[in-house]
Amino acid sequence: MQQNIVFSDQALELQATARKIADEYVRPGAAHADKHSEYNMKAAKAVASAGLFRAWIPEAYGGVDAGILSLAIVAEELAKADSGFGVAYAVNALGSFPILLGGTEEQKQKWMPKIAAGETFVAFCLSEKFAGSDASGLAVTAVRDGDHYVINGEKKWTTNGGVADVYTVFAVTDATSKSRRISAFIVEKGTPGFTIEKIEDKMGIRGVPVVETHFNDVRVPVENLIGGREGLGFKHAMMTLDHARPGVAAQAVGASQGALDLANVYACRRVQFGKPISQHQMVQKMLADMAMKTEAARQLTYAAAAAIDVNGPSPANSKMAAMAKCFASDVAMEVATDAVQVFGGYGFMEDYPIAKFFRDAKILQIYEGTNQIQRMVISRHLVREANDLEHLKDFIPSEEQKSYGAQPTTAT
Ligand code: CAA
C-alpha cells in the first residue's frame, strides 16, 4: 500500500472502502464494460451506497467533507482496477463543482445532497465541436425569456452523458462581452429539447459514455442559472477545472499503478532464457523506472489535492493542479506503454487486461485540458512569478551590461 503522507482516519476509511469495491465490482466488470461499451452500473451503485460520492462534498450538503485529497485517493483506487471507471466516478465531481463552487445557497441545498447520496449523477458540458482547448470560444447560447433561459446549440465530448441525471452546461449569454460572455446552467435529463445525439466510439475508457448533447430550444428556469447572475460561467469553469484536475491526476496514478502491478506479476511468471524475465536487467530497469515515476506522480497528485483542501482556490493551487494532471497523465501513458512492452507479443493482444490500460491511458493526456494547455497554464504562472523574483534581477544583467564571467554590478 502506498501512502507516504499522513492521511486522516476518514481518508483511510474511504480508501479501504474504494479498494474493496474495486476488487469486488470494478476489476471483475472491467473487461465486459470495455468490450460491450457498457457502464458498470453495479459498481456505481456500490460506490453510491458505500457513500463514496459524499467524499468531496461538505457536510452541510450531505457530504462527509473529506476534501479533494479523499476524492483523489478514491479515484486512484477505482482507476487502478479500471481506468474507465475512475473517470465514471470522478466526473461526478467535475459536474458538481460548478454548483458547489459557484452556486447559490439554494442551488447547493437543492442539488448537492442528491449528488452526495449517489441518487443523481452529473455531467459537465463545456466543450464544443469548435471550442475545446479554447474554452471561452463557445457557440451554445442561452437567451433570457421571462422566467426562463432558452438554450440552443450542441456540446461535444460530454462524459457520462446519458447516464447523468443533471448537466452543468456552459453557454453564451452576452456575446458582446469579453470577460462576462458565458454563464452556467443546470439542465435536467428529460427537459424537452435536450437530447443525446451521438454516443462516441472510443479508443479507450469504453465503459463510460462520451456523447454529444444537443439543445433545441431547451427552457430552463432562471433558478437554474448557476450563481444567480450572468457572466460568471468562465470563472466557474476555470475554478471547476482547477479543483477537478487533481482527480484526473489521481486516475492517472491509479492507471499507472494498475499497469505496473500487472507487468510486475507477469514479469515474475514469464520465463525466457531459463529464468523469469523479472530477473533480466533490462526488464528490471523498466519496472524500476515505472515504479519511480508512478510514485513521483502520486506524491505530486496528493500535494496538489491537499493544497486545495488547505488553502482553497488560488493561483498557486491552479498551477499545482495543472502540474499534477500533466505529469501524472504523461507518466500513465509512459508506464502503460512500458507495461505493454513487458508483456511483449501478449501485450499487443487483448488476451490480458494490459492492452486496455494502454488504450485507456491516452485520454488522460487529453481530457480536462490537454497537456499542452496544462503546460501553458503552468508557464503563464511562471511568467507572473518572475515578478516576485526581483532579488535575482541583479544577477541577470541586461543585454548591454552582460559580458562572460563579469560580476553583477550591484550585488554585494
Ligand atoms: N480561476 C479563476 N479565474 C480564472 C482562472 C482560474 N484558474 N483562469 C483564468 N481565469 C479568469 C482570468 O482571470 C480572466 O478573468 P478576467 O477576464 O476577469 O480578467 C478570465 O478567466 C480569462 O482568462 P484567460 O485570459 O487566461 O483565458 P484564456 O481564454 O486565455 O484561456 C485557458 C485560458 C486556461 C487556456 C482555458 O481556456 C482552459 O482551461 N482551456 C482548457 C479547457 C479544458 O480544460 N477543457 C476540458 C473540458 S472538460 C472535459 O474534458 C471533461 C471530460 O470529458 C471528463
Side-chain angles (χ1 to χ4, degrees), residues 91 94 124 126-127 132-133 135-136 157 159 179 234-235 238-239 241-242 245 318 367-369 373 376-377 380:
V91 79
L94 175 74
F124 180 74
L126 178 67
S127 302
S133 291
S136 64
W157 307 301
T159 307
S179 59
F234 191 73
K235 282 226 154 91
M238 293 299 105
M239 285 165 66
L241 289 164
D242 287 345
R245 282 172 183 155
S318 175
Y367 64 25
E368 293 190 40
I373 288 292
M376 186 173 121
V377 169
R380 283 182 179 185

PDB file of all heavy atoms in Angstrom, residues 91 94 124 126-127 132-133 135-136 157 159 179 234-235 238-239 241-242 245 318 367-369 373 376-377 380, ligand 1:
ATOM      1  N   VAL A  91     -15.995  12.106 -12.649  1.00  0.00           N
ATOM      2  CA  VAL A  91     -16.719  13.078 -13.461  1.00  0.00           C
ATOM      3  C   VAL A  91     -17.917  13.649 -12.694  1.00  0.00           C
ATOM      4  O   VAL A  91     -18.385  14.753 -12.968  1.00  0.00           O
ATOM      5  CB  VAL A  91     -17.129  12.453 -14.832  1.00  0.00           C
ATOM      6  CG1 VAL A  91     -18.358  11.569 -14.708  1.00  0.00           C
ATOM      7  CG2 VAL A  91     -17.354  13.529 -15.874  1.00  0.00           C
ATOM      8  N   LEU A  94     -16.447  16.627 -11.184  1.00  0.00           N
ATOM      9  CA  LEU A  94     -16.302  17.671 -12.215  1.00  0.00           C
ATOM     10  C   LEU A  94     -17.654  18.350 -12.482  1.00  0.00           C
ATOM     11  O   LEU A  94     -17.747  19.577 -12.500  1.00  0.00           O
ATOM     12  CB  LEU A  94     -15.757  17.032 -13.506  1.00  0.00           C
ATOM     13  CG  LEU A  94     -15.650  17.949 -14.717  1.00  0.00           C
ATOM     14  CD1 LEU A  94     -14.478  18.905 -14.568  1.00  0.00           C
ATOM     15  CD2 LEU A  94     -15.475  17.130 -16.010  1.00  0.00           C
ATOM     16  N   PHE A 124     -20.611  17.296 -17.162  1.00  0.00           N
ATOM     17  CA  PHE A 124     -20.091  18.665 -17.321  1.00  0.00           C
ATOM     18  C   PHE A 124     -20.068  18.965 -18.816  1.00  0.00           C
ATOM     19  O   PHE A 124     -19.360  18.285 -19.572  1.00  0.00           O
ATOM     20  CB  PHE A 124     -18.672  18.658 -16.738  1.00  0.00           C
ATOM     21  CG  PHE A 124     -17.915  19.955 -16.767  1.00  0.00           C
ATOM     22  CD1 PHE A 124     -18.228  20.987 -15.904  1.00  0.00           C
ATOM     23  CD2 PHE A 124     -16.830  20.109 -17.622  1.00  0.00           C
ATOM     24  CE1 PHE A 124     -17.481  22.158 -15.891  1.00  0.00           C
ATOM     25  CE2 PHE A 124     -16.079  21.280 -17.621  1.00  0.00           C
ATOM     26  CZ  PHE A 124     -16.417  22.314 -16.748  1.00  0.00           C
ATOM     27  N   LEU A 126     -18.966  21.533 -21.273  1.00  0.00           N
ATOM     28  CA  LEU A 126     -18.230  22.742 -21.634  1.00  0.00           C
ATOM     29  C   LEU A 126     -17.830  22.673 -23.110  1.00  0.00           C
ATOM     30  O   LEU A 126     -18.195  23.531 -23.906  1.00  0.00           O
ATOM     31  CB  LEU A 126     -16.988  22.888 -20.738  1.00  0.00           C
ATOM     32  CG  LEU A 126     -16.071  24.076 -21.017  1.00  0.00           C
ATOM     33  CD1 LEU A 126     -16.775  25.405 -20.697  1.00  0.00           C
ATOM     34  CD2 LEU A 126     -14.779  23.985 -20.179  1.00  0.00           C
ATOM     35  N   SER A 127     -17.114  21.621 -23.490  1.00  0.00           N
ATOM     36  CA  SER A 127     -16.524  21.548 -24.832  1.00  0.00           C
ATOM     37  C   SER A 127     -17.565  21.520 -25.949  1.00  0.00           C
ATOM     38  O   SER A 127     -18.661  20.991 -25.781  1.00  0.00           O
ATOM     39  CB  SER A 127     -15.671  20.282 -24.956  1.00  0.00           C
ATOM     40  OG  SER A 127     -14.671  20.282 -23.979  1.00  0.00           O
ATOM     41  N   GLY A 132     -12.649  23.527 -27.903  1.00  0.00           N
ATOM     42  CA  GLY A 132     -12.118  22.504 -26.999  1.00  0.00           C
ATOM     43  C   GLY A 132     -11.165  23.161 -26.028  1.00  0.00           C
ATOM     44  O   GLY A 132     -11.560  23.599 -24.953  1.00  0.00           O
ATOM     45  N   SER A 133      -9.901  23.303 -26.462  1.00  0.00           N
ATOM     46  CA  SER A 133      -8.915  23.989 -25.614  1.00  0.00           C
ATOM     47  C   SER A 133      -9.294  25.445 -25.391  1.00  0.00           C
ATOM     48  O   SER A 133      -9.103  25.985 -24.303  1.00  0.00           O
ATOM     49  CB  SER A 133      -7.529  23.921 -26.271  1.00  0.00           C
ATOM     50  OG  SER A 133      -7.054  22.596 -26.245  1.00  0.00           O
ATOM     51  N   ALA A 135     -11.671  27.349 -24.388  1.00  0.00           N
ATOM     52  CA  ALA A 135     -12.954  27.168 -23.711  1.00  0.00           C
ATOM     53  C   ALA A 135     -13.824  28.413 -23.694  1.00  0.00           C
ATOM     54  O   ALA A 135     -15.018  28.329 -23.413  1.00  0.00           O
ATOM     55  CB  ALA A 135     -12.709  26.685 -22.297  1.00  0.00           C
ATOM     56  N   SER A 136     -13.248  29.576 -23.983  1.00  0.00           N
ATOM     57  CA  SER A 136     -14.108  30.766 -23.957  1.00  0.00           C
ATOM     58  C   SER A 136     -14.783  30.995 -25.316  1.00  0.00           C
ATOM     59  O   SER A 136     -15.653  31.847 -25.445  1.00  0.00           O
ATOM     60  CB  SER A 136     -13.314  32.009 -23.541  1.00  0.00           C
ATOM     61  OG  SER A 136     -12.333  32.276 -24.513  1.00  0.00           O
ATOM     62  N   TRP A 157     -18.300  15.772 -26.555  1.00  0.00           N
ATOM     63  CA  TRP A 157     -17.478  15.015 -25.587  1.00  0.00           C
ATOM     64  C   TRP A 157     -17.988  15.151 -24.149  1.00  0.00           C
ATOM     65  O   TRP A 157     -17.199  15.398 -23.226  1.00  0.00           O
ATOM     66  CB  TRP A 157     -16.005  15.444 -25.665  1.00  0.00           C
ATOM     67  CG  TRP A 157     -15.456  15.367 -27.047  1.00  0.00           C
ATOM     68  CD1 TRP A 157     -15.385  14.262 -27.835  1.00  0.00           C
ATOM     69  CD2 TRP A 157     -14.898  16.436 -27.824  1.00  0.00           C
ATOM     70  NE1 TRP A 157     -14.832  14.580 -29.062  1.00  0.00           N
ATOM     71  CE2 TRP A 157     -14.521  15.907 -29.068  1.00  0.00           C
ATOM     72  CE3 TRP A 157     -14.682  17.800 -27.577  1.00  0.00           C
ATOM     73  CZ2 TRP A 157     -13.943  16.686 -30.068  1.00  0.00           C
ATOM     74  CZ3 TRP A 157     -14.108  18.573 -28.574  1.00  0.00           C
ATOM     75  CH2 TRP A 157     -13.743  18.022 -29.803  1.00  0.00           C
ATOM     76  N   THR A 159     -18.751  13.559 -21.050  1.00  0.00           N
ATOM     77  CA  THR A 159     -18.504  12.282 -20.374  1.00  0.00           C
ATOM     78  C   THR A 159     -19.640  12.032 -19.383  1.00  0.00           C
ATOM     79  O   THR A 159     -20.033  12.940 -18.653  1.00  0.00           O
ATOM     80  CB  THR A 159     -17.153  12.332 -19.634  1.00  0.00           C
ATOM     81  OG1 THR A 159     -16.159  12.729 -20.578  1.00  0.00           O
ATOM     82  CG2 THR A 159     -16.779  10.976 -19.059  1.00  0.00           C
ATOM     83  N   SER A 179     -15.096  39.275 -21.011  1.00  0.00           N
ATOM     84  CA  SER A 179     -14.844  38.501 -19.801  1.00  0.00           C
ATOM     85  C   SER A 179     -16.127  37.973 -19.147  1.00  0.00           C
ATOM     86  O   SER A 179     -16.052  37.134 -18.264  1.00  0.00           O
ATOM     87  CB  SER A 179     -14.033  39.335 -18.807  1.00  0.00           C
ATOM     88  OG  SER A 179     -14.735  40.498 -18.507  1.00  0.00           O
ATOM     89  N   PHE A 234     -17.361  31.507 -17.145  1.00  0.00           N
ATOM     90  CA  PHE A 234     -15.977  31.137 -17.486  1.00  0.00           C
ATOM     91  C   PHE A 234     -15.148  30.955 -16.221  1.00  0.00           C
ATOM     92  O   PHE A 234     -14.389  29.998 -16.083  1.00  0.00           O
ATOM     93  CB  PHE A 234     -15.344  32.166 -18.430  1.00  0.00           C
ATOM     94  CG  PHE A 234     -14.035  31.678 -19.015  1.00  0.00           C
ATOM     95  CD1 PHE A 234     -14.035  30.695 -19.987  1.00  0.00           C
ATOM     96  CD2 PHE A 234     -12.815  32.173 -18.578  1.00  0.00           C
ATOM     97  CE1 PHE A 234     -12.845  30.207 -20.516  1.00  0.00           C
ATOM     98  CE2 PHE A 234     -11.615  31.696 -19.101  1.00  0.00           C
ATOM     99  CZ  PHE A 234     -11.633  30.717 -20.072  1.00  0.00           C
ATOM    100  N   LYS A 235     -15.336  31.862 -15.274  1.00  0.00           N
ATOM    101  CA  LYS A 235     -14.595  31.757 -13.994  1.00  0.00           C
ATOM    102  C   LYS A 235     -14.972  30.459 -13.278  1.00  0.00           C
ATOM    103  O   LYS A 235     -14.108  29.751 -12.756  1.00  0.00           O
ATOM    104  CB  LYS A 235     -14.911  32.955 -13.086  1.00  0.00           C
ATOM    105  CG  LYS A 235     -14.161  34.195 -13.507  1.00  0.00           C
ATOM    106  CD  LYS A 235     -13.515  34.926 -12.325  1.00  0.00           C
ATOM    107  CE  LYS A 235     -12.324  35.723 -12.818  1.00  0.00           C
ATOM    108  NZ  LYS A 235     -12.556  37.073 -13.210  1.00  0.00           N
ATOM    109  N   MET A 238     -13.241  27.592 -14.955  1.00  0.00           N
ATOM    110  CA  MET A 238     -11.805  27.527 -14.628  1.00  0.00           C
ATOM    111  C   MET A 238     -11.596  27.028 -13.201  1.00  0.00           C
ATOM    112  O   MET A 238     -10.713  26.205 -12.935  1.00  0.00           O
ATOM    113  CB  MET A 238     -11.146  28.903 -14.800  1.00  0.00           C
ATOM    114  CG  MET A 238     -11.082  29.418 -16.230  1.00  0.00           C
ATOM    115  SD  MET A 238     -10.119  28.352 -17.334  1.00  0.00           S
ATOM    116  CE  MET A 238     -11.391  27.546 -18.267  1.00  0.00           C
ATOM    117  N   MET A 239     -12.405  27.531 -12.271  1.00  0.00           N
ATOM    118  CA  MET A 239     -12.276  27.080 -10.881  1.00  0.00           C
ATOM    119  C   MET A 239     -12.613  25.590 -10.766  1.00  0.00           C
ATOM    120  O   MET A 239     -11.970  24.843 -10.026  1.00  0.00           O
ATOM    121  CB  MET A 239     -13.206  27.898  -9.974  1.00  0.00           C
ATOM    122  CG  MET A 239     -12.691  29.307  -9.710  1.00  0.00           C
ATOM    123  SD  MET A 239     -13.968  30.362  -9.014  1.00  0.00           S
ATOM    124  CE  MET A 239     -14.237  29.596  -7.434  1.00  0.00           C
ATOM    125  N   LEU A 241     -12.218  23.339 -13.108  1.00  0.00           N
ATOM    126  CA  LEU A 241     -11.106  22.536 -13.657  1.00  0.00           C
ATOM    127  C   LEU A 241      -9.930  22.493 -12.684  1.00  0.00           C
ATOM    128  O   LEU A 241      -9.281  21.461 -12.531  1.00  0.00           O
ATOM    129  CB  LEU A 241     -10.699  23.076 -15.031  1.00  0.00           C
ATOM    130  CG  LEU A 241     -11.752  22.803 -16.125  1.00  0.00           C
ATOM    131  CD1 LEU A 241     -11.510  23.666 -17.361  1.00  0.00           C
ATOM    132  CD2 LEU A 241     -11.791  21.331 -16.512  1.00  0.00           C
ATOM    133  N   ASP A 242      -9.674  23.601 -12.014  1.00  0.00           N
ATOM    134  CA  ASP A 242      -8.597  23.598 -11.005  1.00  0.00           C
ATOM    135  C   ASP A 242      -8.870  22.561  -9.912  1.00  0.00           C
ATOM    136  O   ASP A 242      -7.965  21.892  -9.425  1.00  0.00           O
ATOM    137  CB  ASP A 242      -8.458  24.971 -10.341  1.00  0.00           C
ATOM    138  CG  ASP A 242      -7.821  26.006 -11.271  1.00  0.00           C
ATOM    139  OD1 ASP A 242      -7.237  25.604 -12.293  1.00  0.00           O
ATOM    140  OD2 ASP A 242      -7.927  27.205 -10.968  1.00  0.00           O
ATOM    141  N   ARG A 245      -8.762  18.763 -11.657  1.00  0.00           N
ATOM    142  CA  ARG A 245      -7.544  18.192 -12.271  1.00  0.00           C
ATOM    143  C   ARG A 245      -6.756  17.262 -11.347  1.00  0.00           C
ATOM    144  O   ARG A 245      -6.215  16.253 -11.822  1.00  0.00           O
ATOM    145  CB  ARG A 245      -6.684  19.321 -12.868  1.00  0.00           C
ATOM    146  CG  ARG A 245      -7.266  19.781 -14.203  1.00  0.00           C
ATOM    147  CD  ARG A 245      -6.618  21.004 -14.803  1.00  0.00           C
ATOM    148  NE  ARG A 245      -7.327  21.367 -16.039  1.00  0.00           N
ATOM    149  CZ  ARG A 245      -7.356  22.582 -16.564  1.00  0.00           C
ATOM    150  NH1 ARG A 245      -6.714  23.588 -15.975  1.00  0.00           N
ATOM    151  NH2 ARG A 245      -8.018  22.807 -17.682  1.00  0.00           N
ATOM    152  N   SER A 318      -3.801  26.468  -8.662  1.00  0.00           N
ATOM    153  CA  SER A 318      -4.163  26.251 -10.069  1.00  0.00           C
ATOM    154  C   SER A 318      -2.951  25.678 -10.805  1.00  0.00           C
ATOM    155  O   SER A 318      -3.054  24.722 -11.584  1.00  0.00           O
ATOM    156  CB  SER A 318      -4.585  27.604 -10.662  1.00  0.00           C
ATOM    157  OG  SER A 318      -4.839  27.489 -12.015  1.00  0.00           O
ATOM    158  N   TYR A 367      -8.205  14.833 -21.865  1.00  0.00           N
ATOM    159  CA  TYR A 367      -9.397  15.480 -21.284  1.00  0.00           C
ATOM    160  C   TYR A 367      -9.073  16.345 -20.053  1.00  0.00           C
ATOM    161  O   TYR A 367      -7.992  16.272 -19.508  1.00  0.00           O
ATOM    162  CB  TYR A 367     -10.550  14.515 -21.054  1.00  0.00           C
ATOM    163  CG  TYR A 367     -10.437  13.365 -20.084  1.00  0.00           C
ATOM    164  CD1 TYR A 367      -9.577  13.351 -19.010  1.00  0.00           C
ATOM    165  CD2 TYR A 367     -11.293  12.272 -20.247  1.00  0.00           C
ATOM    166  CE1 TYR A 367      -9.543  12.288 -18.129  1.00  0.00           C
ATOM    167  CE2 TYR A 367     -11.273  11.193 -19.366  1.00  0.00           C
ATOM    168  CZ  TYR A 367     -10.385  11.213 -18.313  1.00  0.00           C
ATOM    169  OH  TYR A 367     -10.362  10.157 -17.447  1.00  0.00           O
ATOM    170  N   GLU A 368     -10.071  17.167 -19.726  1.00  0.00           N
ATOM    171  CA  GLU A 368      -9.937  18.194 -18.677  1.00  0.00           C
ATOM    172  C   GLU A 368      -8.716  19.092 -18.903  1.00  0.00           C
ATOM    173  O   GLU A 368      -8.013  19.496 -17.975  1.00  0.00           O
ATOM    174  CB  GLU A 368      -9.978  17.546 -17.290  1.00  0.00           C
ATOM    175  CG  GLU A 368     -11.358  16.973 -17.048  1.00  0.00           C
ATOM    176  CD  GLU A 368     -11.643  16.509 -15.658  1.00  0.00           C
ATOM    177  OE1 GLU A 368     -11.236  17.176 -14.704  1.00  0.00           O
ATOM    178  OE2 GLU A 368     -12.320  15.476 -15.534  1.00  0.00           O
ATOM    179  N   GLY A 369      -8.519  19.395 -20.196  1.00  0.00           N
ATOM    180  CA  GLY A 369      -7.418  20.255 -20.615  1.00  0.00           C
ATOM    181  C   GLY A 369      -6.261  19.412 -21.123  1.00  0.00           C
ATOM    182  O   GLY A 369      -5.690  18.628 -20.365  1.00  0.00           O
ATOM    183  N   ILE A 373      -2.263  22.438 -22.884  1.00  0.00           N
ATOM    184  CA  ILE A 373      -2.918  23.519 -22.125  1.00  0.00           C
ATOM    185  C   ILE A 373      -2.377  23.576 -20.695  1.00  0.00           C
ATOM    186  O   ILE A 373      -2.139  24.660 -20.148  1.00  0.00           O
ATOM    187  CB  ILE A 373      -4.467  23.346 -22.135  1.00  0.00           C
ATOM    188  CG1 ILE A 373      -5.038  23.670 -23.519  1.00  0.00           C
ATOM    189  CG2 ILE A 373      -5.141  24.192 -21.055  1.00  0.00           C
ATOM    190  CD1 ILE A 373      -4.934  25.127 -23.935  1.00  0.00           C
ATOM    191  N   MET A 376       0.759  25.334 -20.752  1.00  0.00           N
ATOM    192  CA  MET A 376       0.511  26.765 -20.978  1.00  0.00           C
ATOM    193  C   MET A 376       0.101  27.432 -19.654  1.00  0.00           C
ATOM    194  O   MET A 376       0.611  28.512 -19.311  1.00  0.00           O
ATOM    195  CB  MET A 376      -0.603  26.900 -22.019  1.00  0.00           C
ATOM    196  CG  MET A 376      -0.899  28.269 -22.486  1.00  0.00           C
ATOM    197  SD  MET A 376      -2.094  28.117 -23.854  1.00  0.00           S
ATOM    198  CE  MET A 376      -3.390  29.083 -23.173  1.00  0.00           C
ATOM    199  N   VAL A 377      -0.787  26.771 -18.910  1.00  0.00           N
ATOM    200  CA  VAL A 377      -1.218  27.320 -17.609  1.00  0.00           C
ATOM    201  C   VAL A 377      -0.004  27.459 -16.683  1.00  0.00           C
ATOM    202  O   VAL A 377       0.208  28.499 -16.059  1.00  0.00           O
ATOM    203  CB  VAL A 377      -2.299  26.408 -16.963  1.00  0.00           C
ATOM    204  CG1 VAL A 377      -2.560  26.792 -15.508  1.00  0.00           C
ATOM    205  CG2 VAL A 377      -3.595  26.453 -17.767  1.00  0.00           C
ATOM    206  N   ARG A 380       2.281  30.303 -17.816  1.00  0.00           N
ATOM    207  CA  ARG A 380       1.722  31.639 -17.529  1.00  0.00           C
ATOM    208  C   ARG A 380       1.947  32.004 -16.065  1.00  0.00           C
ATOM    209  O   ARG A 380       2.260  33.138 -15.730  1.00  0.00           O
ATOM    210  CB  ARG A 380       0.222  31.660 -17.834  1.00  0.00           C
ATOM    211  CG  ARG A 380      -0.098  31.754 -19.312  1.00  0.00           C
ATOM    212  CD  ARG A 380      -1.599  31.829 -19.492  1.00  0.00           C
ATOM    213  NE  ARG A 380      -1.981  31.936 -20.887  1.00  0.00           N
ATOM    214  CZ  ARG A 380      -3.233  32.110 -21.292  1.00  0.00           C
ATOM    215  NH1 ARG A 380      -4.213  32.195 -20.419  1.00  0.00           N
ATOM    216  NH2 ARG A 380      -3.517  32.196 -22.573  1.00  0.00           N
TER     217      ARG A 380
HETATM  218  N1  CAA B   1      -9.517  30.536 -11.840  1.00  0.00           N
HETATM  219  C1  CAA B   1     -10.308  31.641 -11.853  1.00  0.00           C
HETATM  220  N2  CAA B   1     -10.347  32.502 -12.900  1.00  0.00           N
HETATM  221  C2  CAA B   1      -9.539  32.242 -13.953  1.00  0.00           C
HETATM  222  C3  CAA B   1      -8.705  31.106 -13.991  1.00  0.00           C
HETATM  223  C4  CAA B   1      -8.696  30.247 -12.868  1.00  0.00           C
HETATM  224  N3  CAA B   1      -7.929  29.156 -12.829  1.00  0.00           N
HETATM  225  N4  CAA B   1      -8.039  31.098 -15.159  1.00  0.00           N
HETATM  226  C5  CAA B   1      -8.435  32.180 -15.841  1.00  0.00           C
HETATM  227  N5  CAA B   1      -9.354  32.860 -15.110  1.00  0.00           N
HETATM  228  C6  CAA B   1     -10.004  34.132 -15.453  1.00  0.00           C
HETATM  229  C7  CAA B   1      -8.958  35.212 -15.726  1.00  0.00           C
HETATM  230  O1  CAA B   1      -8.586  35.846 -14.543  1.00  0.00           O
HETATM  231  C8  CAA B   1      -9.676  36.126 -16.678  1.00  0.00           C
HETATM  232  O2  CAA B   1     -10.551  36.928 -15.933  1.00  0.00           O
HETATM  233  P1  CAA B   1     -10.842  38.482 -16.358  1.00  0.00           P
HETATM  234  O3  CAA B   1     -11.452  38.430 -17.726  1.00  0.00           O
HETATM  235  O4  CAA B   1     -11.774  38.963 -15.317  1.00  0.00           O
HETATM  236  O5  CAA B   1      -9.500  39.153 -16.363  1.00  0.00           O
HETATM  237  C9  CAA B   1     -10.557  35.150 -17.486  1.00  0.00           C
HETATM  238  O6  CAA B   1     -10.717  33.990 -16.681  1.00  0.00           O
HETATM  239  C10 CAA B   1      -9.926  34.784 -18.810  1.00  0.00           C
HETATM  240  O7  CAA B   1      -8.675  34.189 -18.546  1.00  0.00           O
HETATM  241  P2  CAA B   1      -7.581  33.920 -19.677  1.00  0.00           P
HETATM  242  O8  CAA B   1      -7.341  35.193 -20.428  1.00  0.00           O
HETATM  243  O9  CAA B   1      -6.429  33.254 -19.040  1.00  0.00           O
HETATM  244  O10 CAA B   1      -8.366  32.914 -20.638  1.00  0.00           O
HETATM  245  P3  CAA B   1      -7.918  32.219 -21.986  1.00  0.00           P
HETATM  246  O11 CAA B   1      -9.012  32.368 -22.949  1.00  0.00           O
HETATM  247  O12 CAA B   1      -6.542  32.649 -22.357  1.00  0.00           O
HETATM  248  O13 CAA B   1      -7.927  30.658 -21.609  1.00  0.00           O
HETATM  249  C11 CAA B   1      -7.265  28.579 -20.668  1.00  0.00           C
HETATM  250  C12 CAA B   1      -7.384  30.102 -20.528  1.00  0.00           C
HETATM  251  C13 CAA B   1      -6.549  28.198 -19.387  1.00  0.00           C
HETATM  252  C14 CAA B   1      -6.487  28.120 -21.854  1.00  0.00           C
HETATM  253  C15 CAA B   1      -8.677  27.940 -20.704  1.00  0.00           C
HETATM  254  O14 CAA B   1      -9.331  28.221 -21.911  1.00  0.00           O
HETATM  255  C16 CAA B   1      -8.638  26.447 -20.487  1.00  0.00           C
HETATM  256  O15 CAA B   1      -8.513  25.967 -19.364  1.00  0.00           O
HETATM  257  N6  CAA B   1      -8.802  25.662 -21.579  1.00  0.00           N
HETATM  258  C17 CAA B   1      -8.890  24.214 -21.456  1.00  0.00           C
HETATM  259  C18 CAA B   1     -10.327  23.822 -21.345  1.00  0.00           C
HETATM  260  C19 CAA B   1     -10.494  22.458 -20.760  1.00  0.00           C
HETATM  261  O16 CAA B   1      -9.785  22.064 -19.842  1.00  0.00           O
HETATM  262  N7  CAA B   1     -11.480  21.739 -21.253  1.00  0.00           N
HETATM  263  C20 CAA B   1     -11.785  20.453 -20.731  1.00  0.00           C
HETATM  264  C21 CAA B   1     -13.225  20.194 -20.849  1.00  0.00           C
HETATM  265  S1  CAA B   1     -13.871  19.202 -19.616  1.00  0.00           S
HETATM  266  C22 CAA B   1     -13.546  17.615 -20.017  1.00  0.00           C
HETATM  267  O17 CAA B   1     -12.629  17.293 -20.698  1.00  0.00           O
HETATM  268  C23 CAA B   1     -14.476  16.738 -19.327  1.00  0.00           C
HETATM  269  C24 CAA B   1     -14.355  15.313 -19.571  1.00  0.00           C
HETATM  270  O18 CAA B   1     -14.554  14.810 -20.661  1.00  0.00           O
HETATM  271  C25 CAA B   1     -14.094  14.408 -18.445  1.00  0.00           C
END
